[in-house]
Each structure stands twice: as structure tokens, then as C-alpha cells.
Coordinates of all heavy atoms in Angstrom, one line a residue:
M1 N -15.7 -8.0 -22.3 CA -14.5 -8.4 -22.8 C -14.7 -9.4 -24.0 O -15.5 -10.2 -24.1 CB -13.7 -9.1 -21.8 CG -12.3 -9.7 -22.1 SD -11.3 -10.3 -20.9 CE -10.6 -8.9 -20.3
T2 N -13.8 -9.1 -25.0 CA -13.8 -10.0 -26.2 C -12.9 -11.2 -26.1 O -11.9 -11.1 -25.3 CB -13.7 -9.3 -27.5 OG1 -12.2 -8.8 -27.5 CG2 -14.6 -8.1 -27.7
E3 N -13.0 -12.2 -26.9 CA -12.0 -13.1 -27.0 C -10.7 -12.6 -27.5 O -9.6 -13.2 -26.9 CB -12.5 -14.3 -27.9 CG -13.6 -15.1 -27.2 CD -14.2 -16.3 -28.2 OE1 -13.2 -16.9 -28.8 OE2 -15.3 -16.5 -28.1
D4 N -10.6 -11.7 -28.4 CA -9.4 -11.2 -28.8 C -8.8 -10.4 -27.8 O -7.5 -10.5 -27.7 CB -9.6 -10.3 -30.1 CG -10.0 -11.1 -31.3 OD1 -9.7 -12.2 -31.5 OD2 -10.6 -10.4 -32.3
S5 N -9.5 -9.5 -27.0 CA -8.8 -8.8 -25.8 C -8.4 -9.9 -24.7 O -7.3 -9.7 -24.2 CB -9.7 -7.8 -25.3 OG -10.8 -8.3 -24.7
A6 N -9.1 -10.9 -24.5 CA -8.8 -11.8 -23.6 C -7.4 -12.5 -24.0 O -6.4 -12.7 -23.2 CB -9.8 -13.0 -23.3
L7 N -7.4 -12.8 -25.3 CA -6.1 -13.5 -25.8 C -4.9 -12.5 -25.6 O -3.9 -13.0 -25.2 CB -6.3 -13.8 -27.3 CG -5.2 -14.7 -28.0 CD1 -5.1 -16.0 -27.4 CD2 -5.5 -14.7 -29.5
A8 N -5.1 -11.3 -25.9 CA -4.0 -10.3 -25.9 C -3.6 -10.2 -24.3 O -2.3 -10.0 -24.0 CB -4.4 -9.0 -26.3
D9 N -4.6 -10.2 -23.4 CA -4.3 -10.2 -22.0 C -3.5 -11.5 -21.4 O -2.8 -11.4 -20.4 CB -5.5 -9.8 -21.2 CG -6.0 -8.4 -21.4 OD1 -5.2 -7.7 -22.0 OD2 -7.2 -8.2 -21.0
L10 N -3.6 -12.4 -22.1 CA -3.0 -13.7 -21.7 C -1.6 -13.8 -22.0 O -0.8 -14.4 -21.4 CB -3.7 -15.0 -22.5 CG -4.9 -15.5 -22.0 CD1 -5.7 -16.5 -22.9 CD2 -4.8 -16.0 -20.6
A11 N -1.1 -13.0 -22.9 CA 0.2 -12.9 -23.4 C 1.3 -12.8 -22.2 O 2.2 -13.6 -22.0 CB 0.6 -12.0 -24.5
P12 N 1.1 -11.7 -21.4 CA 2.0 -11.6 -20.3 C 1.9 -12.7 -19.3 O 2.9 -13.0 -18.5 CB 1.7 -10.2 -19.7 CG 0.3 -9.7 -20.2 CD 0.2 -10.6 -21.4
L13 N 0.8 -13.2 -19.2 CA 0.6 -14.4 -18.1 C 1.5 -15.6 -18.6 O 2.1 -16.2 -17.7 CB -0.8 -14.8 -17.9 CG -1.7 -13.7 -17.3 CD1 -3.1 -14.2 -17.1 CD2 -1.2 -13.4 -15.9
F14 N 1.4 -16.0 -19.9 CA 2.2 -17.0 -20.5 C 3.6 -16.7 -20.3 O 4.4 -17.6 -19.9 CB 1.7 -17.1 -22.1 CG 0.6 -18.2 -22.1 CD1 -0.7 -17.8 -21.9 CD2 0.8 -19.5 -22.4 CE1 -1.8 -18.6 -22.1 CE2 -0.2 -20.3 -22.7 CZ -1.6 -19.9 -22.5
E15 N 4.0 -15.4 -20.6 CA 5.4 -15.1 -20.5 C 5.9 -15.3 -18.9 O 7.0 -15.9 -18.7 CB 5.7 -13.6 -20.8 CG 7.1 -13.4 -20.8 CD 7.4 -12.0 -21.5 OE1 6.6 -11.5 -22.2 OE2 8.7 -11.5 -21.4
E16 N 5.2 -15.0 -18.1 CA 5.4 -15.1 -16.6 C 5.5 -16.6 -16.2 O 6.4 -17.0 -15.6 CB 4.2 -14.4 -15.8 CG 4.4 -14.6 -14.3 CD 3.4 -13.8 -13.6 OE1 2.9 -12.8 -13.9 OE2 3.0 -14.5 -12.6
V17 N 4.6 -17.4 -16.6 CA 4.6 -18.9 -16.3 C 5.6 -19.6 -17.0 O 6.4 -20.4 -16.4 CB 3.2 -19.5 -16.5 CG1 3.2 -20.9 -16.5 CG2 2.1 -18.8 -15.7
F18 N 5.9 -19.3 -18.3 CA 6.8 -20.1 -19.1 C 8.3 -19.3 -19.2 O 9.2 -20.1 -19.6 CB 6.3 -20.3 -20.6 CG 5.2 -21.3 -20.5 CD1 3.8 -20.8 -20.6 CD2 5.4 -22.6 -20.4 CE1 2.8 -21.6 -20.5 CE2 4.3 -23.5 -20.5 CZ 3.0 -23.0 -20.4
G19 N 8.4 -18.3 -18.6 CA 9.7 -17.6 -18.6 C 10.1 -17.0 -19.8 O 11.4 -16.7 -19.9
E20 N 9.4 -17.1 -20.8 CA 9.7 -16.4 -22.1 C 8.4 -16.3 -22.9 O 7.4 -16.7 -22.6 CB 10.6 -17.3 -22.9 CG 9.9 -18.7 -23.3 CD 10.9 -19.7 -24.0 OE1 12.0 -19.5 -23.8 OE2 10.4 -20.6 -24.5
P21 N 8.5 -15.2 -23.9 CA 7.2 -15.0 -24.7 C 6.8 -16.2 -25.4 O 7.6 -17.0 -26.0 CB 7.8 -13.8 -25.6 CG 9.0 -13.3 -25.0 CD 9.6 -14.4 -24.3
V22 N 5.4 -16.5 -25.4 CA 4.9 -17.6 -26.1 C 3.9 -16.8 -27.2 O 3.1 -16.2 -26.9 CB 4.1 -18.4 -25.2 CG1 3.4 -19.6 -26.0 CG2 5.0 -19.0 -24.1
P23 N 4.3 -17.2 -28.4 CA 3.4 -16.4 -29.5 C 2.0 -17.2 -29.5 O 1.8 -18.3 -29.9 CB 4.1 -16.8 -30.9 CG 5.2 -17.8 -30.6 CD 5.4 -17.8 -29.0
L24 N 1.0 -16.5 -28.9 CA -0.3 -17.1 -28.7 C -1.2 -16.9 -30.0 O -1.2 -15.8 -30.5 CB -1.0 -16.4 -27.6 CG -0.4 -16.4 -26.2 CD1 -1.2 -15.9 -25.1 CD2 -0.1 -18.0 -25.8
T25 N -1.9 -18.0 -30.3 CA -2.9 -18.0 -31.3 C -4.1 -18.8 -30.7 O -3.8 -19.6 -29.8 CB -2.5 -18.6 -32.6 OG1 -2.1 -20.1 -32.4 CG2 -1.2 -18.0 -33.2
P26 N -5.2 -18.5 -31.3 CA -6.4 -19.3 -30.7 C -6.2 -20.8 -30.8 O -6.7 -21.5 -30.0 CB -7.7 -18.7 -31.5 CG -7.2 -17.4 -32.0 CD -5.7 -17.6 -32.1
D27 N -5.5 -21.3 -31.9 CA -5.4 -22.7 -32.2 C -4.3 -23.3 -31.3 O -4.1 -24.4 -31.3 CB -5.2 -23.0 -33.7 CG -6.4 -22.6 -34.4 OD1 -7.5 -22.6 -33.9 OD2 -6.3 -22.2 -35.6
L28 N -3.4 -22.5 -30.7 CA -2.3 -23.1 -29.9 C -2.7 -24.1 -28.9 O -3.7 -23.9 -28.0 CB -1.5 -22.0 -29.3 CG -0.2 -22.4 -28.6 CD1 0.8 -22.8 -29.7 CD2 0.3 -21.2 -27.8
T29 N -2.0 -25.2 -28.7 CA -2.3 -26.2 -27.8 C -1.1 -26.5 -27.0 O 0.0 -26.2 -27.3 CB -2.8 -27.7 -28.4 OG1 -1.6 -28.1 -29.1 CG2 -3.9 -27.4 -29.3
A30 N -1.3 -27.2 -25.7 CA -0.3 -27.5 -24.8 C 0.8 -28.3 -25.4 O 2.0 -28.2 -25.1 CB -0.7 -28.1 -23.5
E31 N 0.5 -29.2 -26.4 CA 1.5 -30.0 -27.0 C 2.5 -29.3 -27.8 O 3.5 -29.6 -28.1 CB 0.8 -31.1 -27.9 CG 0.0 -32.2 -27.1 CD -1.4 -31.6 -26.7 OE1 -2.0 -30.8 -27.2 OE2 -1.9 -32.1 -25.6
E32 N 2.1 -28.0 -28.3 CA 2.9 -27.2 -29.2 C 3.9 -26.2 -28.3 O 4.7 -25.7 -28.9 CB 2.0 -26.3 -30.0 CG 1.2 -27.1 -31.0 CD 0.2 -26.4 -31.7 OE1 -0.8 -26.0 -31.2 OE2 0.5 -26.0 -32.9
V33 N 3.8 -26.2 -27.0 CA 4.5 -25.4 -26.2 C 5.4 -26.2 -25.2 O 5.0 -26.9 -24.5 CB 3.6 -24.4 -25.4 CG1 4.5 -23.6 -24.5 CG2 2.7 -23.6 -26.2
E34 N 6.6 -26.0 -25.6 CA 7.7 -26.8 -24.7 C 7.5 -26.4 -23.3 O 7.6 -25.3 -22.8 CB 9.1 -26.4 -25.3 CG 10.2 -27.3 -24.5 CD 11.6 -27.1 -25.1 OE1 11.6 -26.6 -26.3 OE2 12.6 -27.3 -24.3
G35 N 7.6 -27.6 -22.4 CA 7.4 -27.4 -21.0 C 6.1 -27.2 -20.5 O 5.8 -26.9 -19.3
W36 N 5.1 -27.2 -21.3 CA 3.6 -27.1 -20.8 C 3.1 -28.3 -20.3 O 2.7 -29.2 -21.0 CB 2.7 -26.5 -21.9 CG 1.3 -26.1 -21.5 CD1 0.7 -26.5 -20.2 CD2 0.4 -25.3 -22.3 NE1 -0.5 -25.8 -20.3 CE2 -0.7 -25.2 -21.4 CE3 0.5 -24.6 -23.4 CZ2 -1.8 -24.4 -21.8 CZ3 -0.7 -23.9 -23.7 CH2 -1.7 -23.8 -23.0
D37 N 3.3 -28.6 -19.0 CA 3.0 -29.8 -18.5 C 1.8 -29.5 -17.3 O 1.3 -28.3 -17.4 CB 4.1 -30.5 -17.8 CG 4.8 -29.6 -16.7 OD1 4.3 -28.6 -16.2 OD2 6.0 -29.9 -16.2
S38 N 1.5 -30.5 -16.5 CA 0.3 -30.3 -15.6 C 0.6 -29.2 -14.5 O -0.2 -28.4 -14.2 CB 0.0 -31.6 -15.0 OG 1.2 -32.2 -14.3
T39 N 2.0 -29.2 -14.1 CA 2.3 -28.1 -13.2 C 2.2 -26.8 -13.7 O 1.6 -25.8 -13.1 CB 3.7 -28.4 -12.6 OG1 3.8 -29.7 -12.1 CG2 4.1 -27.3 -11.7
R40 N 2.6 -26.6 -14.9 CA 2.5 -25.3 -15.6 C 1.1 -25.0 -15.9 O 0.6 -23.7 -15.8 CB 3.3 -25.3 -17.0 CG 4.8 -25.3 -16.8 CD 5.3 -23.8 -16.6 NE 6.7 -23.8 -16.1 CZ 7.7 -24.0 -16.9 NH1 7.8 -24.2 -18.1 NH2 8.9 -23.8 -16.3
M41 N 0.3 -25.9 -16.2 CA -1.1 -25.8 -16.4 C -1.8 -25.2 -15.1 O -2.7 -24.1 -15.2 CB -1.9 -26.8 -16.8 CG -3.3 -26.8 -17.2 SD -3.5 -25.7 -18.6 CE -5.2 -25.8 -18.9
I42 N -1.5 -25.7 -14.0 CA -1.9 -25.2 -12.7 C -1.6 -23.7 -12.4 O -2.3 -22.9 -12.0 CB -1.6 -26.1 -11.5 CG1 -2.3 -27.5 -11.6 CG2 -1.9 -25.5 -10.2 CD1 -1.7 -28.5 -10.9
E43 N -0.3 -23.4 -12.7 CA 0.2 -22.1 -12.6 C -0.5 -21.2 -13.5 O -0.8 -20.0 -13.1 CB 1.8 -22.1 -12.9 CG 2.7 -22.8 -11.8 CD 4.0 -22.9 -12.3 OE1 4.5 -22.2 -13.2 OE2 4.8 -23.6 -11.7
L44 N -0.8 -21.5 -14.7 CA -1.5 -20.7 -15.6 C -2.8 -20.4 -15.2 O -3.3 -19.3 -15.1 CB -1.5 -21.3 -17.0 CG -1.9 -20.6 -18.2 CD1 -1.2 -19.3 -18.3 CD2 -1.9 -21.4 -19.5
I45 N -3.7 -21.5 -14.7 CA -5.0 -21.3 -14.2 C -5.0 -20.3 -13.0 O -5.9 -19.4 -12.9 CB -5.7 -22.7 -13.9 CG1 -5.8 -23.5 -15.2 CG2 -6.9 -22.6 -13.2 CD1 -6.5 -23.0 -16.3
V46 N -4.1 -20.5 -12.1 CA -4.1 -19.7 -10.9 C -3.8 -18.3 -11.4 O -4.5 -17.4 -10.9 CB -3.0 -20.2 -10.0 CG1 -2.8 -19.2 -8.8 CG2 -3.5 -21.4 -9.3
A47 N -2.8 -18.1 -12.4 CA -2.5 -16.7 -12.8 C -3.8 -16.1 -13.5 O -4.1 -14.9 -13.4 CB -1.4 -16.8 -13.8
V48 N -4.5 -16.9 -14.3 CA -5.6 -16.4 -15.0 C -6.7 -16.0 -14.1 O -7.4 -14.8 -14.2 CB -6.2 -17.6 -16.1 CG1 -7.6 -17.2 -16.5 CG2 -5.3 -17.6 -17.2
E49 N -7.0 -16.9 -13.1 CA -8.0 -16.6 -12.0 C -7.7 -15.2 -11.4 O -8.6 -14.4 -11.1 CB -8.1 -17.6 -11.1 CG -8.9 -18.9 -11.7 CD -9.1 -20.0 -10.8 OE1 -8.3 -20.2 -9.7 OE2 -9.8 -20.9 -11.0
A50 N -6.5 -15.0 -11.0 CA -6.1 -13.9 -10.2 C -6.2 -12.7 -11.1 O -6.6 -11.5 -10.7 CB -4.6 -14.0 -9.7
R51 N -5.7 -12.8 -12.4 CA -5.6 -11.5 -13.3 C -7.1 -11.1 -13.6 O -7.3 -9.8 -13.7 CB -4.9 -12.0 -14.5 CG -5.0 -11.1 -15.7 CD -4.6 -9.6 -15.5 NE -4.8 -8.9 -16.6 CZ -6.0 -8.1 -17.0 NH1 -7.1 -8.3 -16.2 NH2 -6.0 -7.5 -18.1
F52 N -8.0 -12.1 -13.9 CA -9.2 -11.7 -14.4 C -10.3 -11.7 -13.5 O -11.5 -11.3 -13.6 CB -9.6 -12.7 -15.6 CG -8.8 -12.5 -16.7 CD1 -7.8 -13.4 -17.0 CD2 -9.0 -11.5 -17.7 CE1 -6.9 -13.3 -18.1 CE2 -8.1 -11.3 -18.8 CZ -7.1 -12.2 -19.0
G53 N -10.0 -12.1 -12.2 CA -11.0 -12.1 -11.1 C -12.1 -13.1 -11.3 O -13.2 -12.8 -11.0
I54 N -11.7 -14.3 -11.8 CA -12.7 -15.3 -12.1 C -12.3 -16.6 -11.6 O -11.1 -16.7 -11.0 CB -12.9 -15.5 -13.6 CG1 -11.6 -16.0 -14.3 CG2 -13.5 -14.3 -14.3 CD1 -11.7 -16.3 -15.8
K55 N -13.2 -17.6 -11.4 CA -12.9 -18.9 -11.0 C -13.2 -19.9 -12.2 O -14.3 -19.7 -12.7 CB -13.6 -19.3 -9.7 CG -13.1 -18.6 -8.5 CD -11.8 -19.2 -8.1 CE -11.4 -18.5 -6.8 NZ -10.1 -18.8 -6.4
L56 N -12.3 -20.8 -12.4 CA -12.6 -21.8 -13.3 C -13.0 -23.1 -12.7 O -12.2 -23.5 -11.8 CB -11.4 -22.0 -14.3 CG -11.0 -20.7 -15.2 CD1 -9.7 -21.1 -15.9 CD2 -12.1 -20.3 -16.0
T57 N -13.9 -23.8 -13.1 CA -14.3 -25.1 -12.6 C -13.4 -26.2 -13.2 O -12.9 -26.0 -14.2 CB -15.9 -25.4 -12.8 OG1 -15.9 -25.6 -14.3 CG2 -16.7 -24.3 -12.5
T58 N -13.4 -27.3 -12.5 CA -12.7 -28.4 -13.0 C -13.2 -28.8 -14.3 O -12.4 -29.2 -15.2 CB -12.7 -29.5 -12.0 OG1 -12.2 -29.1 -10.6 CG2 -11.9 -30.8 -12.5
R59 N -14.5 -28.9 -14.5 CA -15.0 -29.2 -15.8 C -14.6 -28.2 -16.9 O -14.2 -28.7 -17.9 CB -16.6 -29.2 -15.7 CG -17.2 -29.5 -17.0 CD -18.8 -29.5 -16.8 NE -19.0 -30.6 -15.8 CZ -20.0 -31.5 -16.0 NH1 -20.7 -31.4 -17.0 NH2 -20.2 -32.4 -15.1
E60 N -14.6 -27.0 -16.7 CA -14.1 -26.0 -17.6 C -12.7 -26.3 -17.9 O -12.2 -26.3 -19.1 CB -14.3 -24.6 -17.1 CG -15.6 -24.1 -17.1 CD -15.8 -22.8 -16.4 OE1 -15.2 -22.5 -15.3 OE2 -16.7 -22.1 -16.7
V61 N -11.8 -26.5 -17.0 CA -10.4 -26.7 -17.3 C -10.2 -28.1 -18.0 O -9.3 -28.1 -18.9 CB -9.5 -26.8 -16.0 CG1 -8.1 -27.2 -16.1 CG2 -9.6 -25.4 -15.3
D62 N -10.9 -29.1 -17.7 CA -10.9 -30.4 -18.4 C -11.3 -30.3 -19.9 O -10.9 -31.1 -20.7 CB -11.8 -31.4 -17.7 CG -11.1 -31.9 -16.4 OD1 -10.0 -31.7 -16.1 OD2 -11.9 -32.5 -15.7
H63 N -12.1 -29.2 -20.2 CA -12.5 -29.1 -21.6 C -11.7 -28.1 -22.4 O -12.2 -27.7 -23.5 CB -14.0 -28.8 -21.6 CG -15.0 -29.9 -21.3 ND1 -15.3 -30.2 -20.0 CD2 -15.4 -30.9 -22.1 CE1 -16.0 -31.3 -20.0 NE2 -16.1 -31.7 -21.2
L64 N -10.7 -27.7 -21.8 CA -9.7 -26.8 -22.5 C -8.9 -27.6 -23.4 O -8.1 -28.4 -23.1 CB -8.8 -25.9 -21.6 CG -9.6 -25.0 -20.7 CD1 -8.5 -24.4 -19.6 CD2 -10.2 -23.8 -21.5
H65 N -8.9 -27.1 -24.8 CA -8.2 -27.9 -25.7 C -7.2 -26.9 -26.5 O -6.3 -27.4 -27.2 CB -9.1 -28.6 -26.8 CG -10.0 -29.6 -26.2 ND1 -9.5 -30.7 -25.6 CD2 -11.3 -29.6 -26.0 CE1 -10.6 -31.5 -25.1 NE2 -11.7 -30.7 -25.3
S66 N -7.4 -25.6 -26.4 CA -6.6 -24.7 -27.0 C -6.6 -23.4 -26.2 O -7.4 -23.2 -25.3 CB -7.1 -24.4 -28.5 OG -8.4 -23.9 -28.4
V67 N -5.7 -22.5 -26.5 CA -5.7 -21.1 -25.9 C -6.9 -20.4 -26.2 O -7.5 -19.6 -25.5 CB -4.4 -20.4 -26.4 CG1 -4.4 -18.9 -26.0 CG2 -3.2 -21.1 -25.9
G68 N -7.5 -20.7 -27.4 CA -8.8 -20.1 -27.9 C -10.0 -20.4 -27.0 O -10.7 -19.6 -26.6
D69 N -9.9 -21.7 -26.6 CA -11.0 -22.1 -25.5 C -10.8 -21.4 -24.3 O -11.8 -21.0 -23.7 CB -10.8 -23.7 -25.2 CG -11.2 -24.5 -26.4 OD1 -11.8 -24.0 -27.4 OD2 -10.6 -25.7 -26.3
L70 N -9.5 -21.2 -23.8 CA -9.4 -20.3 -22.6 C -9.7 -19.0 -22.7 O -10.5 -18.4 -21.8 CB -7.8 -20.5 -22.2 CG -7.5 -19.8 -20.9 CD1 -8.2 -20.2 -19.7 CD2 -5.9 -20.0 -20.6
A71 N -9.6 -18.4 -23.8 CA -9.9 -17.0 -24.1 C -11.4 -16.8 -24.2 O -11.8 -15.9 -23.6 CB -9.3 -16.4 -25.4
A72 N -12.0 -17.8 -24.7 CA -13.5 -17.8 -24.7 C -14.2 -17.8 -23.4 O -15.1 -17.1 -23.0 CB -14.1 -19.0 -25.6
I73 N -13.7 -18.7 -22.5 CA -14.2 -18.8 -21.2 C -13.8 -17.4 -20.3 O -14.7 -17.0 -19.7 CB -13.5 -20.0 -20.4 CG1 -14.1 -21.3 -20.9 CG2 -13.8 -19.9 -18.8 CD1 -13.4 -22.5 -20.4
I74 N -12.6 -16.9 -20.6 CA -12.3 -15.7 -19.9 C -13.3 -14.5 -20.4 O -13.9 -13.7 -19.5 CB -10.9 -15.3 -20.2 CG1 -10.0 -16.2 -19.4 CG2 -10.6 -13.9 -19.8 CD1 -8.5 -16.2 -19.8
A75 N -13.5 -14.5 -21.6 CA -14.4 -13.4 -22.2 C -15.8 -13.5 -21.7 O -16.3 -12.5 -21.3 CB -14.4 -13.5 -23.7
R76 N -16.3 -14.8 -21.5 CA -17.6 -15.0 -21.1 C -17.7 -14.7 -19.5 O -18.6 -14.0 -19.0 CB -18.1 -16.4 -21.3 CG -19.5 -16.7 -21.0 CD -19.9 -18.2 -21.1 NE -19.5 -19.0 -20.0 CZ -18.5 -20.0 -20.1 NH1 -18.0 -20.4 -21.2 NH2 -18.2 -20.6 -19.0
K77 N -16.8 -15.1 -18.8 CA -16.8 -14.9 -17.3 C -16.3 -13.5 -16.8 O -17.0 -12.9 -15.9 CB -15.9 -15.9 -16.7 CG -16.5 -17.3 -16.6 CD -15.8 -18.3 -15.7 CE -16.6 -19.5 -15.4 NZ -16.3 -20.1 -14.2
A78 N -15.5 -12.9 -17.5 CA -15.1 -11.6 -17.2 C -16.0 -10.6 -17.5 O -16.0 -9.3 -16.9 CB -13.7 -11.3 -17.8
S79 N -17.0 -10.8 -18.4 CA -18.0 -9.8 -18.9 C -19.1 -9.8 -17.9 O -20.0 -9.1 -18.1 CB -18.5 -10.2 -20.3 OG -17.4 -10.1 -21.1
R80 N -19.2 -10.7 -16.8 CA -20.3 -10.8 -15.9 C -20.3 -9.7 -14.8 O -19.4 -9.2 -14.5 CB -20.4 -12.1 -15.3 CG -20.7 -13.2 -16.2 CD -20.9 -14.4 -15.3 NE -21.1 -15.6 -16.2 CZ -21.0 -16.8 -16.0 NH1 -20.7 -17.1 -14.8 NH2 -21.2 -17.7 -16.8

């Protein structure tokens, strides 16, 4: 899996969690998305883990600064 395909696959998950389409770019951060709080982050991580069949460590989640960071981790882990 590539980072671009992971980013594309994230779009429906974001829509599910936030209740509306979120225009995703690799540079998008939580501060730029209305309603992206700690609860939504947990919901998003749970959805990502279920969708991609991966587990994210606390360290990985703590080091996420953008949607691109999340896509990179997904691409790396989902390719195993």
C-alpha cells in the first residue's frame, strides 16, 4: 500500500467519524478540522485499526502531526 492509497482510503473514515466529508491533504492537521478533539481522535484511530487490520502504538499516535503522518504509518503497517 502506498501513502497516496492510504490517504484515499482514509476519506470515508473521516466522513464517518466527523459526519461530513473532510477534504484530506497530507498536510492537514487536527487544528484545521472543526470538532477534531481527543474523543474524535480515539474514534478515528479505532476506525483506522479496524479498516486496515493494524494496531497503532501509543508512541505512534503521539507522534502524529498530520494526516500525512497517519497515511505513512498505515502504508508501512498495512504492507506487512
Side-chain angles (χ1 to χ4, degrees):
M1 172 172 284
T2 67
E3 290 181 32
D4 287 339
S5 64
L7 187 65
D9 289 347
L10 282 170
L13 296 180
F14 271 77
E15 185 170 349
E16 180 182 315
V17 169
F18 291 97
E20 63 185 18
V22 177
L24 299 183
T25 64
D27 296 331
L28 184 71
T29 65
E31 291 80 25
E32 298 172 281
V33 179
E34 187 175 336
W36 191 339
D37 57 16
S38 58
T39 302
R40 289 275 166 79
M41 185 64 174
I42 292 167
E43 291 174 19
L44 188 58
I45 295 303
V46 169
V48 164
E49 290 178 334
R51 163 63 181 85
F52 295 99
I54 61 174
K55 288 289 184 187
L56 300 177
T57 67
T58 302
R59 180 176 299 225
E60 288 168 330
V61 172
D62 286 346
H63 287 91
L64 294 175
H65 300 290
S66 67
V67 173
D69 293 342
L70 179 58
I73 290 173
I74 292 167
R76 187 180 81 243
K77 288 191 159 206
S79 297
R80 291 183 183 167

